[in-house]
Amino acid sequence: MAKFSPFKTTLWYATAPPAPETTELEGTTKADVCIVGGGYTGLTTALELASGGISVVLLEKEEIGFGGSGRNAGHCTPTFTHYSLPELRAMLDEPWAERLIARQTRANDRVSSMIRHYQIQCEWQQNGYVMGAPYPGAMKTIQEKVRTYNAVGARTRALDKDEVAAITGSPRFHGGWLHEEAGHLNPLGYSRGLARAVIQEGGIIHTNSPVTGCERQADGWAISTAKGEVIADKVIFATGAYTVGGWPKLDQTFKIQKVFVAATQPLSDDERQSILPRNTTIHDGRGDIYVYKYNAEGRIVASMFPMGRRGRDMEYTRQVMSDRLKWLHPQIKQEIRWEYFWFGELDMQYRTVPRLYDLATGVVALTGLSGRGVPTGSMLGGILAEWARGVPEKDLSLKLEPLTSAPFYMNYGPKLTLRYYRVSDWIKTKLAGAPLPPHA
Ligand SMILES: Cc1cc2nc3c(=O)[nH]c(=O)nc-3n(C[C@H](O)[C@H](O)[C@H](O)COP(=O)(O)OP(=O)(O)OC[C@H]3O[C@@H](n4cnc5c(N)ncnc54)[C@H](O)[C@@H]3O)c2cc1C
């Protein structure tokens, strides 16, 4: 069985502008920095370094965006998943917590300026993100989000029931949270555009070039592939959930969690005026998430996590997706056809924020984005480029730590957490006398 889900069946593969021409690495080449992995983390690091005049070679095992960066759902919300800001501050040491929070909450400035500057064709829309309150009690958490995120400079506000209905076209929410700076995009278009920008800035990219080893030599690190090697002063592994080889045990620093994304047929202009009329991203506010947005053709692109039959029995899964969408938007009368359906892998680790591993002098790795990778991967380039330029550890926005395997409980922790959220939301909705969505 293939280790990763198929890549070429996604909506993005069918609709993204073509990738720039790249070739496999052959022979020996030299660079200041060698980056392994052609996703957002590797590409934004390469772009930052190349545009600053540092010579960079990026090696990608398959093609640009083959990992999460080419197949995600395309939501770009500059927040953290799972943990609140106070919880993150308690979990990450200072000064790293505050620095990481500042970078993450400003990540979309970076995304939009790279897209603008390099004219990346990726359907970028910065119309905001709404998280609905599925029952009245959820407004307490939303008020807390407004307070804590606005305190670090984010532009967010609480919405009442009528405002959420006006913005989303759904009558099902008891209020909500609007994050004005959030956006959405075609993720593979964004990855390929970043790759084009790296090349434009003088960086070198080789695809179909899996890294099989990394060894210290007299003149630097030798990063080897089947037909060649790069000799570099510094090496950065940015191989995410799709890590294969390269450095021992790197693929044990996280546990894989599957997630799926599906896209409807294009909706008519009339339908689009009543369903997500402002082209925002919407999260249904449940722990067992249902998140959706439009692509440029007017398809609703929605994602959920597999759970039990959901994700295993495809007919049932499509039915769940349709029933949930029609419940959220009773104005949809027609049959929903999920014309694209694909799975992908997340690199989960228990803190749900990326971790920077000190592998050897001059070699680091970064994994564990845990599902919020579009803004995160885009801002990580800034941190990794600082490391490559020699900024001292104490001044970085992530703490350097020794390579650590993810604890055993991460094999089942994320799945159990989802089930816990599902039951807890069910109970809270029932107790509040609010209607439950189908298959809740
Ligand atoms: C289905 C799905 C939906 C998602 N939805 C969202 C969303 O809506 N919003 C959001 O913010 N995040 C989302 N995410 C998460 C996000 O896509 C990822 O966190 C992010 O793309 C990770 O970027 P990365 O650069 O760290 O890794 P990746 O994009 O996974 O890139 C790593 C690359 O390294 C390469 N590689 C691995 N080993 C080697 C090697 N030995 N040699 C050379 N190359 C190697 C891989 O082939 C891969 O291309 C989603 C993820 C998935 C899978």
Side-chain angles (χ1 to χ4, degrees):
M1 204 174 85
K3 183 165 179 178
F4 304 119
S5 310
F7 175 59
K8 297 189 178 176
T9 53
T10 73
L11 167 65
W12 315 125
Y13 199 80
T15 56
E21 290 246 327
T22 48
T23 55
E24 184 179 350
L25 175 70
E26 289 187 21
T28 300
T29 184
K30 285 198 167 197
D32 295 328
V33 182
C34 177
I35 295 170
V36 187
Y40 304 140
T41 306
L43 289 165
T44 56
T45 308
L47 182 56
E48 184 86 17
L49 291 171
S51 61
I54 294 176
S55 69
V56 181
V57 174
L58 184 149
L59 301 174
E60 162 57 45
K61 165 168 70 80
E62 312 259 346
E63 60 179 282
I64 290 302
F66 172 81
S69 301
R71 59 174 89 198
N72 65 65
H75 315 133
C76 189
T77 307
T79 56
F80 294 89
T81 53
H82 197 68
Y83 291 110
S84 68
L85 297 186
E87 285 168 332
L88 279 173
R89 288 191 183 100
M91 199 164 38
L92 307 172
D93 291 341
E94 292 297 359
W96 292 280
E98 220 48 60
R99 290 179 190 159
L100 194 68
I101 289 169
R103 283 191 184 259
Q104 181 75 350
T105 48
R106 300 287 9 119
N108 278 15
D109 295 348
R110 198 179 183 90
V111 172
S112 54
S113 90
M114 287 189 292
I115 290 173
R116 212 176 30 248
H117 184 76
Y118 295 104
Q119 297 180 14
I120 297 176
Q121 304 300 310
C122 64
E123 307 175 21
W124 174 236
Q125 296 287 328
Q126 201 168 7
N127 297 333
Y129 158 95
V130 173
M131 174 185 272
Y135 44 85
M139 284 309 289
K140 193 166 168 253
T141 314
I142 284 176
Q143 297 289 2
E144 194 56 17
K145 278 180 180 290
V146 172
R147 193 181 66 72
T148 53
Y149 274 99
N150 289 8
V152 294
R155 290 204 311 274
T156 85
R157 66 188 172 89
L159 303 171
D160 65 24
K161 191 175 167 50
D162 291 343
E163 284 177 297
V164 181
I167 296 174
T168 65
S170 172
R172 299 295 186 189
F173 299 111
H174 300 261
W177 186 45
L178 173 67
H179 194 314
E180 291 174 16
E181 294 155 285
H184 61 80
L185 43 67
N186 176 324
L188 184 59
Y190 180 47
S191 297
R192 289 176 172 175
L194 288 171
R196 203 173 285 282
V198 170
I199 295 167
Q200 185 183 321
E201 293 290 357
I204 293 170
I205 296 181
H206 290 291
T207 46
N208 295 313
S209 304
V211 169
T212 49
C214 179
E215 279 179 18
R216 183 81 219 169
Q217 291 189 350
D219 52 350
W221 286 95
I223 304 95
S224 45
T225 65
K227 295 187 189 162
E229 64 175 5
V230 179
I231 308 292
D233 297 335
K234 293 198 168 164
V235 189
I236 296 171
F237 284 89
T239 45
Y242 294 79
T243 303
V244 175
W247 192 273
K249 296 192 176 170
L250 193 52
D251 60 352
Q252 292 174 27
T253 55
F254 54 84
K255 296 289 179 187
I256 288 207
Q257 180 168 5
K258 293 235 182 217
V259 57
F260 61 79
V261 187
T264 65
Q265 72 272 31
L267 301 193
S268 68
D269 290 348
D270 273 0
E271 287 167 314
R272 292 186 67 176
Q273 273 168 27
S274 79
I275 303 160
L276 296 188
R278 296 198 203 164
N279 201 359
T280 45
T281 299
I282 171 162
H283 181 310
D284 72 347
R286 295 181 181 273
D288 177 22
I289 60 163
Y290 190 84
V291 194
Y292 54 107
K293 57 119 186 172
Y294 284 112
N295 83 331
E297 303 164 295
R299 297 175 191 275
I300 289 185
V301 182
S303 44
M304 284 185 105
F305 284 104
M307 190 187 292
R309 252 176 101 191
R310 193 173 76 206
R312 234 181 328 115
D313 173 341
M314 293 319 290
E315 198 179 325
Y316 171 76
T317 306
R318 284 182 150 84
Q319 194 63 48
V320 172
M321 299 286 281
S322 299
D323 292 349
R324 189 64 71 92
L325 191 60
K326 286 186 165 185
W327 181 82
L328 286 159
H329 297 279
Q331 62 271 53
I332 304 178
K333 300 291 179 221
Q334 60 165 308
E335 183 201 351
I336 296 290
R337 297 189 308 276
W338 297 100
E339 294 184 346
Y340 292 87
F341 200 110
W342 68 96
F343 287 85
E345 288 75 22
L346 305 178
D347 46 345
M348 300 300 297
Q349 59 89 25
Y350 73 94
R351 293 195 319 206
T352 68
V353 288
R355 299 180 80 147
L356 180 58
Y357 298 111
D358 189 7
L359 302 183
T361 305
V363 187
V364 292
L366 192 142
T367 62
L369 273 63
S370 306
R372 177 59 53 95
V374 184
T376 314
S378 303
M379 68 83 185
L380 285 170
I383 301 177
L384 290 166
E386 284 188 351
W387 171 82
R389 281 194 217 102
V391 169
E393 179 190 348
K394 67 176 180 48
D395 296 326
L396 295 175
S397 302
L398 278 171
K399 190 175 180 177
L400 272 169
E401 39 188 327
L403 189 143
T404 323
S405 294
F408 177 72
Y409 68 77
M410 284 302 290
N411 281 319
Y412 50 86
K415 288 192 188 77
L416 284 181
T417 306
L418 272 176
R419 283 183 184 274
Y420 164 79
Y421 282 147
R422 184 175 175 182
V423 173
S424 134
D425 281 337
W426 191 93
I427 294 170
K428 286 174 186 161
T429 310
K430 277 279 185 199
L431 287 177
L436 273 168
H439 313 283

